[in-house]
Amino acid sequence: MSDFWTQLIEYTNVIENETLDIDNPEHLLSKLLTHAEHERELLEAQFNPISSITKENLSIVSQLQNGISMAKKLLEQHEQLRIQERKLAIEIKSHENKAELNAQDFRTTVKRLNNTARIIDYLHCLETLLNYSSALKTSLSTESLDESLSIYTKLAHLTELVHDTSTEYLRSYSVNLTLYWYEQLKTVIDSRMEKILNTIEFPYVHKVPASHLNELFDKNRDKLKQELNYLLKLRLPNHIKHNDVQSRLRFIGWKPIPLLIQILLKGLIIRFNFHFYGKQKTNDRRKPEWYLNQIISWILDHDYFLIEQLQPLINEFSDVPPINVKVEFIRGLIELIIVKLDSQITSILIDTSLFTHYIEEILIFSQRLFVKDIDYPHNLPNCMNLLCDEIVFEKWFQVEQDVSRTKLNNIFQSPTAHQSVYERMLERTPDEIKISECAETFLTLLHAMEDRYRHVPYPSCSLRLFSLQIDLFDDFLHDLKISLNIEQQDIDPLSKHFCSILNSIVYIADVIQQWKNRSHYQRLQYFYDEYKIFIKNYGTDNNDEENFNRIDIDSTLAQQFDLIQLNKETNFTVASIFDYLLEQYRDDEEKMCNIIVNYIVSLLKAKSRRYINEKWSTMPSPKDYFNMSISLSAIDMLVELQTTFSNLSINLLKNISNEIRARIIMEFDGYLFSWLVNDHTFNEGGASQFLFDINQGWTRIANDHVSLLFNKCRESALLLTMPIGSALLLVDALQQELSMTSLSNVSSKESIISSPLPSALHEMGIHHLSEFEADQILQRRLDLTNC
């Protein structure tokens, strides 16, 4: 039997190899049956079924027939299973459809329940609003203000809750209802508050003695406190918009004026409108200072009442948000001015002279607000915000530009532009006396401009006005160069005109250096750095890399930049934007100093020819003189130097004068060293005379620390006058040092000169000559060459 199954397995394997779809049992059995039928037909055709079939063959055929029969049964069972599968699939689909219908019915029911719940909540909320409204009406009719405010507080809280719902009608109704009862309560409290304010004689339109104010306040303190309690409890929900000012005048940082301040300002507003609107003579468009000064007077007149009396009383209410009464009072008065200015701004813009006057008065008023006795916070809106409105600011910037250019031109048209502005004034330092009129007037112009825009609230506007200052620095330097060239091409570098221009450049450069570390300009530098980052992220970076000191502000992105910066903490950094300007001024300072130094050195060289060509090797011994005197050939040169140094001290600032003197001494020192010391031999008399000339002539004229710069000639004279014994020892030491240096593969003259100084030279007080130079000088001594 096992042989049969083995053969059957092998047979089916053959069928599987010939069948592509072996995973389909129906197809496999059909193929098996077809193949078996084919095999049977072949066997019947080859053998006689009677004579040649053996028992073994009959057994195989029987087994095949059994297999075929089993296959047919399997096919029938497979078909039955497929029929059952179809029935089950139909039943499952039917159940799914029924479940979906049930789920849809359930969702519809839930939705109806939710809608019903919302309607119930809506009606309940509406009923609550109506109940609050009815209760408020009743409580107000009975003049029960405490109960009315308690109910109003609940109404306002419910209005805030309704604000988050999607029911537009209910939101609108709740807001309108709250506003209605707010106005009703406001009217009641306003009338009560007005009575108590009249009792204490508020507002104070004139200066009232503090003693009288204290007397009135003490009598009515309790009543005022009770009314303040009512007033502070009456507040609108945060989401309800206020309509006290136009929306376009709500600058960055604006917030509504508290109801308490509105009531306090009521009497002042009536007076303000009476005097500064309509046909009153005080309503003069050409005199904005009238109402600006009036506001300042009102602030000062109410200062004592607000700070010493009202503020402590309000601080006793711990259940209300804190309020700075004086600041809010000032803010309310400023809104009066802003609205007034806004009503006139259109006509003011077309009149440049009137607009300039308005700018000056507004700047004076704004600066007055920040003085200690008023102390209005810088971060709150003021009249400067109106000046930073895009249209107004463009006009302001244009006026600043035109006026500054005109004043700069007038500076150099003055006949005394390069004369000292403090020359005839007493109690001035020597350096102050040398400051030119043009430099001092230019700095006055810059300081005035800085004072005007120091309190500008928006960084973008500050940067634009700052850029105008930077441009003026450039223009001033350019005009200085032009005024220098106008005089003549071959101008005397020692003339007062040349020195005055140099003083102006040095003075302005020193001011720029100081401004780099001032907090005002450090703040502007921070804003400029932030703007460069901002413009890369939000705009197009069009900054000209060649103009490092140019500030270009994109007006379309200015407001967005201001909003970002006003919500950030400002950091301070060194104002590096001045570096490019400072470099320009220092370069021109260096060029003019070089002109002076080269000019003076060339004069000294011409005057020194006779002195250089003296017979230094044949001069008499110092023992032959009763008293030594300066060489006659050096007198012209020394007089020239003394006169030049005197003129420099008179005409130039001290620091630049000292610098030029030092450079002249160093250059002429090198010149004498090369053309006198290195080209001549010296006997004892010549060396002594040279040393005497150095000590009694050059040193006395140079004086102070500058004489120390005459190093090479002075040290050369010391070597030439050194006792012969010490000189011989020094020569031996130097020769030994130079030999050791040669053995160290230092063969060039330059390497020898730059080698470290030997200790022997230091002991002799020689610090600025190398061993090679010292040896060469000692070889110039005739007393050593004859040894």
Side-chain angles (χ1 to χ4, degrees):
M1 188 64 180
S2 61
D3 290 340
F4 167 73
W5 289 111
T6 300
Q7 291 177 8
L8 182 59
I9 291 170
E10 290 176 354
Y11 185 76
T12 55
N13 288 337
V14 173
I15 298 303
E16 287 179 358
N17 293 333
E18 294 178 357
T19 304
L20 297 177
D21 191 7
I22 60 174
D23 294 330
N24 191 339
E26 182 179 358
H27 185 68
L28 181 62
L29 290 175
S30 176
K31 189 68 177 177
L32 182 63
L33 184 60
T34 304
H35 197 275
E37 188 67 20
H38 179 66
E39 291 290 334
R40 184 182 64 78
E41 291 176 355
L42 290 177
L43 290 173
E44 288 179 351
Q46 292 178 4
F47 301 99
N48 190 325
I50 299 175
S51 59
S52 58
I53 294 178
T54 60
K55 293 181 179 180
E56 184 177 356
N57 291 337
L58 290 173
S59 177
I60 293 172
V61 172
S62 177
Q63 291 175 1
L64 287 173
Q65 290 177 346
N66 291 335
I68 292 169
S69 177
M70 290 176 63
K72 288 181 178 180
K73 291 180 179 180
L74 289 174
L75 286 173
E76 292 176 356
Q77 292 176 359
H78 174 71
E79 185 63 27
Q80 292 177 356
L81 291 173
R82 287 186 62 187
I83 292 171
Q84 292 178 1
E85 179 188 6
R86 292 192 190 99
K87 290 180 179 181
L88 288 174
I90 292 171
E91 292 178 358
I92 291 172
K93 185 65 175 176
S94 176
H95 285 295
E96 287 179 351
N97 292 336
K98 291 179 180 179
E100 180 63 29
L101 291 174
N102 292 334
Q104 187 173 355
D105 291 340
F106 180 75
R107 284 193 294 269
T108 302
T109 303
V110 170
K111 186 176 181 179
R112 288 175 179 173
L113 290 173
N114 290 337
N115 289 336
T116 303
R118 288 183 61 193
I119 292 172
I120 293 173
D121 292 339
Y122 180 90
L123 294 175
H124 177 69
C125 184
L126 189 59
E127 182 184 11
T128 305
L129 290 172
L130 293 173
N131 289 337
Y132 285 157
S133 179
S134 178
L136 279 168
K137 184 177 180 180
T138 303
S139 62
L140 281 178
S141 64
T142 59
E143 298 183 355
S144 177
L145 198 54
D146 287 318
E147 183 182 357
S148 298
L149 286 171
S150 175
I151 298 170
Y152 172 80
T153 302
K154 296 177 182 179
L155 174 63
H157 177 67
L158 181 58
T159 301
E160 288 182 341
L161 296 177
V162 171
H163 178 67
D164 296 329
T165 66
S166 59
T167 53
E168 182 178 353
Y169 175 79
L170 185 61
R171 289 203 311 268
S172 175
Y173 177 76
S174 63
V175 168
N176 292 334
L177 186 63
T178 304
L179 283 171
Y180 172 79
W181 286 113
Y182 174 82
E183 293 297 332
Q184 295 297 316
L185 290 170
K186 177 181 174 182
T187 302
V188 174
I189 296 176
D190 187 6
S191 63
R192 292 167 62 100
M193 190 69 181
E194 187 175 353
K195 291 178 182 179
I196 190 66
L197 290 177
N198 290 334
T199 304
I200 62 174
E201 301 179 5
F202 186 91
Y204 310 117
V205 294
H206 302 290
K207 193 70 176 178
V208 181
S211 58
H212 183 62
L213 288 177
N214 288 330
E215 182 181 353
L216 292 174
F217 184 78
D218 291 340
K219 289 181 180 179
N220 299 279
R221 188 180 187 280
D222 294 337
K223 292 181 180 179
L224 180 60
K225 183 177 180 180
Q226 183 181 8
E227 298 304 325
L228 285 175
N229 183 35
Y230 295 148
L231 191 57
L232 294 174
K233 287 181 179 180
L234 183 61
R235 296 192 301 272
L236 278 174
N238 294 328
H239 68 278
I240 296 181
K241 294 182 179 181
H242 296 254
N243 57 358
D244 44 355
V245 296
Q246 300 177 35
S247 59
R248 74 179 197 85
L249 298 180
R250 294 177 182 175
F251 305 113
I252 298 174
W254 179 90
K255 55 183 180 180
I257 303 297
L259 179 59
L260 167 62
I261 304 302
Q262 294 179 33
I263 294 176
L264 291 178
L265 291 175
K266 190 175 179 181
L268 297 178
I269 292 173
I270 293 172
R271 286 174 172 80
F272 186 89
N273 292 338
F274 175 79
H275 288 290
F276 304 114
Y277 287 92
K279 297 181 180 181
Q280 297 297 322
K281 291 183 179 180
T282 49
N283 183 26
D284 189 343
R285 194 167 63 98
R286 297 165 299 175
K287 299 291 184 180
E289 59 269 28
W290 286 355
Y291 59 80
L292 293 174
N293 292 335
Q294 181 62 72
I295 293 297
I296 294 294
S297 298
W298 284 345
I299 292 173
L300 297 176
D301 291 343
H302 292 83
D303 186 77
Y304 181 81
F305 171 74
L306 295 172
I307 295 178
E308 302 297 333
Q309 295 179 332
L310 190 58
Q311 187 66 56
L313 198 60
I314 291 177
N315 292 340
E316 295 180 10
F317 299 104
S318 58
D319 57 339
V320 297
I323 178 175
N324 188 323
V325 182
K326 180 182 177 180
V327 171
E328 296 299 327
F329 184 81
I330 298 172
R331 199 162 62 83
L333 291 175
I334 289 175
E335 278 199 0
L336 281 179
I337 299 176
I338 291 175
V339 174
K340 173 65 177 176
L341 290 171
D342 183 66
S343 67
Q344 298 177 320
I345 199 67
T346 304
S347 59
I348 296 172
L349 287 174
I350 60 178
D351 188 341
T352 302
S353 61
L354 183 60
F355 178 78
T356 304
H357 178 60
Y358 266 77
I359 293 293
E360 292 173 353
E361 292 301 328
I362 291 173
L363 291 172
I364 293 172
F365 174 78
S366 299
Q367 292 172 0
R368 184 68 181 87
L369 289 177
F370 304 125
V371 177
K372 189 175 181 180
D373 58 344
I374 296 181
D375 199 22
Y376 183 69
H378 289 75
N379 62 327
L380 293 180
N382 57 70
C383 298
M384 296 294 292
N385 293 72
L386 184 62
L387 294 184
C388 292
D389 181 75
E390 185 175 355
I391 298 176
V392 181
F393 181 76
E394 287 299 328
K395 178 67 175 179
W396 180 21
F397 183 81
Q398 189 63 47
V399 169
E400 285 284 352
Q401 195 172 44
D402 295 341
V403 171
S404 60
R405 304 285 185 197
T406 302
K407 288 184 178 179
L408 187 59
N409 292 334
N410 293 337
I411 287 174
F412 288 98
Q413 290 177 1
S414 171
T416 58
H418 299 290
Q419 295 179 12
S420 172
V421 69
Y422 300 120
E423 191 171 4
R424 297 181 181 179
M425 295 184 182
L426 300 176
E427 298 181 358
R428 291 287 180 177
T429 64
D431 272 0
E432 287 179 330
I433 295 174
K434 297 165 189 173
I435 297 172
S436 66
E437 178 185 292
C438 66
E440 191 62 34
T441 307
F442 175 65
L443 275 184
T444 302
L445 172 65
L446 292 179
H447 283 303
M449 184 180 296
E450 177 191 331
D451 289 339
R452 283 194 294 274
Y453 80 86
R454 176 181 293 276
H455 301 299
V456 167
Y458 301 143
S460 62
C461 298
S462 298
L463 285 176
R464 286 197 63 189
L465 291 169
F466 177 46
S467 70
L468 184 55
Q469 277 188 303
I470 298 294
D471 292 340
L472 289 176
F473 274 115
D474 266 340
D475 294 340
F476 181 75
L477 182 59
H478 178 70
D479 290 342
L480 281 177
K481 294 178 184 178
I482 291 177
S483 65
L484 181 63
N485 294 332
I486 285 176
E487 290 292 318
Q488 57 183 14
Q489 292 296 327
D490 300 326
I491 188 172
D492 181 7
L494 300 181
S495 67
K496 282 189 174 182
H497 181 77
F498 190 93
C499 292
S500 175
I501 292 176
L502 177 57
N503 286 337
S504 299
I505 291 176
V506 173
Y507 179 53
I508 299 300
D510 290 343
V511 169
I512 294 174
Q513 183 66 51
Q514 295 172 8
W515 283 11
K516 289 179 63 176
N517 298 313
R518 286 180 56 188
S519 60
H520 172 68
Y521 294 104
Q522 289 177 343
R523 179 172 171 268
L524 290 174
Q525 179 67 50
Y526 169 77
F527 286 144
Y528 180 56
D529 293 339
E530 289 292 308
Y531 179 76
K532 288 190 292 185
I533 297 172
F534 169 81
I535 206 68
K536 287 180 180 178
N537 295 332
Y538 298 96
T540 304
D541 189 3
N542 294 323
N543 290 336
D544 188 356
E545 294 184 358
E546 296 181 359
N547 293 329
F548 299 102
N549 62 322
R550 185 160 185 81
I551 304 174
D552 293 321
I553 303 297
D554 188 346
S555 59
T556 60
L557 298 173
Q559 186 175 7
Q560 184 180 357
F561 173 70
D562 293 335
L563 283 170
I564 293 174
Q565 293 306 314
L566 292 176
N567 291 321
K568 290 174 64 176
E569 182 179 355
T570 303
N571 297 319
F572 293 94
T573 180
V574 176
S576 59
I577 195 170
F578 285 119
D579 290 347
Y580 179 74
L581 270 177
L582 190 60
E583 183 181 355
Q584 284 185 312
Y585 274 82
R586 294 304 187 195
D587 285 346
D588 286 318
E589 173 189 334
E590 181 67 20
K591 290 176 184 177
M592 295 185 72
C593 287
N594 288 338
I595 292 174
I596 294 176
V597 170
N598 293 336
Y599 178 78
I600 295 174
V601 170
S602 66
L603 290 177
L604 292 176
K605 287 180 180 179
K607 297 282 186 179
S608 66
R609 288 171 186 167
R610 285 181 56 219
Y611 182 71
I612 290 175
N613 293 326
E614 287 279 6
K615 296 179 180 180
W616 301 100
S617 60
T618 60
M619 285 188 176
S621 171
K623 299 176 182 178
D624 297 338
Y625 294 102
F626 180 74
N627 282 320
M628 292 188 68
S629 61
I630 296 174
S631 301
L632 291 177
S633 57
I635 291 177
D636 288 344
M637 179 174 51
L638 292 172
V639 169
E640 181 68 31
L641 186 62
Q642 186 175 21
T643 303
T644 301
F645 280 1
S646 177
N647 290 335
L648 290 177
S649 299
I650 293 172
N651 295 329
L652 290 177
L653 297 173
K654 184 178 181 180
N655 60 339
I656 199 67
S657 174
N658 289 339
E659 181 185 344
I660 290 176
R661 288 167 59 192
R663 289 175 59 182
I664 292 171
I665 292 294
M666 292 179 67
E667 286 199 26
F668 195 61
D669 176 50
Y671 175 77
L672 290 180
F673 179 78
S674 299
W675 293 94
L676 193 154
V677 177
N678 285 338
D679 278 2
H680 294 80
T681 56
F682 295 81
N683 65 355
E684 183 184 0
S688 298
Q689 184 64 49
F690 184 54
L691 180 61
F692 185 85
D693 291 341
I694 293 295
N695 291 334
Q696 301 301 319
W698 300 105
T699 303
R700 288 190 175 185
I701 292 175
N703 64 47
D704 301 333
H705 67 282
V706 182
S707 62
L708 301 176
L709 301 174
F710 220 103
N711 295 310
K712 288 197 170 183
C713 286
R714 182 171 51 81
E715 292 183 356
S716 298
L718 291 176
L719 290 175
L720 292 172
T721 57
M722 185 183 297
I724 189 169
S726 300
L728 288 172
L729 291 174
L730 183 58
V731 167
D732 290 340
L734 291 174
Q735 292 293 339
Q736 184 180 1
E737 180 66 26
L738 292 172
S739 299
M740 293 176 62
T741 306
S742 299
L743 294 175
S744 302
N745 297 323
V746 182
S747 58
S748 67
K749 180 179 179 180
E750 291 78 5
S751 298
I752 295 174
I753 291 176
S754 61
S755 62
L757 295 174
S759 59
L761 289 178
H762 285 265
E763 292 175 0
M764 302 301 298
I766 309 301
H767 301 282
H768 297 86
L769 296 174
S770 67
E771 59 267 68
F772 177 79
E773 290 173 331
D775 182 66
Q776 291 298 310
I777 292 169
L778 290 171
Q779 299 303 323
R780 300 280 174 190
R781 293 180 54 148
L782 290 177
D783 55 355
L784 293 184
T785 57
N786 294 330
C787 290

